[in-house]
Amino acid sequence: MLQQMNGHSSDPNAHGGELREDLQEFLGRDTPLHLLNDLTKVNPVTLETVLRCLQARYMADIFYTNAGCTLVALNPFKPVPQLYLPELMKEYHAAPQPQKLKPHIFTVGEQTYRNVKSLIEPVNQSIVVSGESGAGKTWTSRSLMKFYAVVAASPTSWESHKIAERIEQRILNSNPVMEAFGNACTLRNNNSSRFGKFIQLQLNRAQQMTGAAVQTYLLEKTRVACQASNERNFHIFYQICKGASVEERLQWHLPEGATFSWLPNPERTLEEDCFEVTREAMLHLGIDTPTQNNIFKVRRKAMALIFGRSEGQPLHRALL
Ligand SMILES: Nc1ncnc2c1ncn2[C@@H]1O[C@H](COP(=O)(O)OP(=O)(O)OP(=O)(O)O)[C@@H](O)[C@H]1O
């Protein structure tokens, strides 16, 4: 992280072989760097000092840092389940001043939620999640959706509780489906979203979740026919190839172990390859098994048409 950014060396010794005076002063300060919760408090604000601070926090397993009203999220590249527990979501939700708690994506979620709540005429709130490929945007969006599913789904009556649960579950189930059809393994990220998305969560006047809409754009369609070496096609094709049942294989004319010229690197086993998870999520979204089968049949035919037949299979059989 400290090596190179935008072509500028961030080596503090690059300035005449000695640490610059202001940087020396910054590094020698009394407060340990990892305790700096807000990058605007870094003084002087330079590439070196900001990166030093983020690096110190990363080494101390602190992955969120404020930068004024923006939140910087570092990808931990390891599971940190204790950071995303429902109890923690509730803690941020119940806090009188969540911004006084440790920086977290839940602070942003809660602040936004309160903004909607505090206005007499409800005004839409937006959270922009940006970063380079593999930075953790999908993870962050998922965490926000889980947060709202917990804090915005607590209606009182049993009947409405059932409805809220259904909506909450559906919102969360949209993720595996979107990711199966729109994500692929790239050099930078095993589960890279190859499309942009605008997720809208709808609340009623009591700030309970009543629905959600996802608009997708800019799907990287060219990946179907052309992938960089060591990258893969969209997950769904591998899921079908690896996860179809014996009956489905017969029905879809998909022999066990069939290989396709445009489905490279099938030997890589990813957790995203799980067909069952996609099917289950589709079921929860109201896409029943016969409809699912039709969707997968079309996918299978696309595989024959676009990817070429599985080895040794005549075309008329592949298109059946
Ligand atoms: N907060 C986190 N905790 C644990 N793991 C994380 C976290 N953020 C990201 N990751 C890991 O990093 C991987 C890449 O993150 P993610 O898919 O969210 O990146 P992205 O910014 O959406 O990338 P792309 O633009 O390529 O879709 C995740 O699959 C996950 O393994």
Side-chain angles (χ1 to χ4, degrees):
M1 186 166 59
L2 279 171
Q3 279 165 0
Q4 195 88 28
M5 196 179 234
N6 295 336
H8 299 293
S9 166
S10 59
D11 177 359
N13 294 319
H15 304 274
E18 288 205 353
L19 283 182
R20 261 185 10 219
E21 208 178 299
D22 51 359
L23 181 59
Q24 236 170 5
E25 206 174 302
F26 171 73
L27 294 174
R29 51 187 288 151
D30 292 338
T31 323
L33 281 189
H34 71 274
L35 295 182
L36 273 172
N37 278 340
D38 193 330
L39 293 176
T40 57
K41 305 241 165 62
V42 169
N43 188 14
V45 181
T46 65
L47 187 60
E48 286 93 339
T49 53
V50 166
L51 289 181
R52 287 275 182 163
C53 180
L54 289 173
Q55 189 187 40
R57 287 173 73 77
Y58 191 85
M59 301 308 277
D61 275 1
I62 306 172
F63 304 108
Y64 291 107
T65 309
N66 292 326
C69 58
T70 305
L71 180 78
V72 177
L74 297 177
N75 186 338
F77 285 108
K78 64 177 178 188
V80 200
Q82 69 278 14
L83 257 190
Y84 303 99
L85 296 173
E87 293 72 33
L88 196 65
M89 297 180 188
K90 287 176 189 152
E91 191 181 323
Y92 277 80
H93 183 52
Q97 289 182 295
Q99 66 278 16
K100 295 232 164 120
L101 299 179
K102 288 183 190 154
H104 200 294
I105 187 59
F106 299 157
T107 319
V108 179
E110 181 58 25
Q111 200 59 55
T112 315
Y113 188 61
R114 287 188 193 186
N115 287 348
V116 176
K117 212 169 172 174
S118 62
L119 298 166
I120 298 157
E121 262 317 301
V123 172
N124 291 334
Q125 295 283 307
S126 303
I127 300 173
V128 178
V129 184
S130 71
E132 62 179 314
S133 178
K137 300 180 293 295
T138 309
W139 182 283
T140 302
S141 317
R142 258 193 254 140
S143 303
L144 279 167
M145 286 161 89
K146 285 183 190 161
F147 176 78
Y148 289 121
V150 168
V151 307
S154 46
T156 43
S157 85
W158 188 81
E159 190 52 34
S160 53
H161 183 66
K162 244 176 46 179
I163 294 169
E165 237 179 31
R166 216 178 33 144
I167 291 165
E168 169 197 335
Q169 204 47 50
R170 280 184 169 209
I171 289 171
L172 298 182
N173 274 317
S174 66
N175 289 322
V177 177
M178 303 290 287
E179 290 177 21
F181 287 86
N183 285 22
C185 175
T186 66
L187 290 176
R188 302 183 67 134
N189 184 356
N190 283 354
N191 188 27
S192 182
S193 314
R194 309 317 301 162
F195 64 103
K197 62 185 166 203
F198 174 66
I199 306 168
Q200 196 177 40
L201 300 180
Q202 293 141 0
L203 306 177
N204 62 14
R205 284 189 175 267
Q207 285 81 48
Q208 290 153 0
M209 205 132 63
T210 52
V214 182
Q215 276 174 42
T216 60
Y217 53 91
L218 294 175
L219 177 66
E220 186 194 39
K221 297 190 196 94
T222 50
R223 178 168 295 270
V224 173
C226 181
Q227 314 81 24
S229 63
N230 288 328
E231 294 203 349
R232 298 208 315 180
N233 215 311
F234 292 99
H235 294 323
I236 187 66
F237 296 117
Y238 299 90
Q239 291 184 3
I240 293 176
C241 280
K242 293 179 182 188
S245 66
V246 175
E247 297 82 60
E248 286 164 346
R249 286 187 188 285
L250 279 173
Q251 210 185 336
W252 300 341
H253 306 287
L254 183 66
E256 181 95 46
T259 53
F260 295 89
S261 46
W262 287 2
L263 280 190
N265 305 307
E267 69 289 347
R268 285 198 67 179
T269 306
L270 305 179
E271 66 178 277
E272 287 78 17
D273 284 347
C274 192
F275 194 30
E276 212 35 58
V277 172
T278 306
R279 301 204 84 148
E280 192 69 21
M282 287 173 95
L283 217 52
H284 281 291
L285 287 177
I287 306 170
D288 59 19
T289 309
T291 314
Q292 284 186 25
N293 285 341
N294 285 337
I295 294 171
F296 298 133
K297 224 154 131 184
V298 172
R299 292 271 132 183
R300 165 66 190 95
K301 290 201 176 177
M303 275 149 80
L305 271 175
I306 311 168
F307 302 161
R309 288 147 276 164
S310 52
E311 258 166 44
Q313 187 184 32
L315 185 60
H316 71 275
R317 289 283 298 153
L319 292 177
L320 276 176

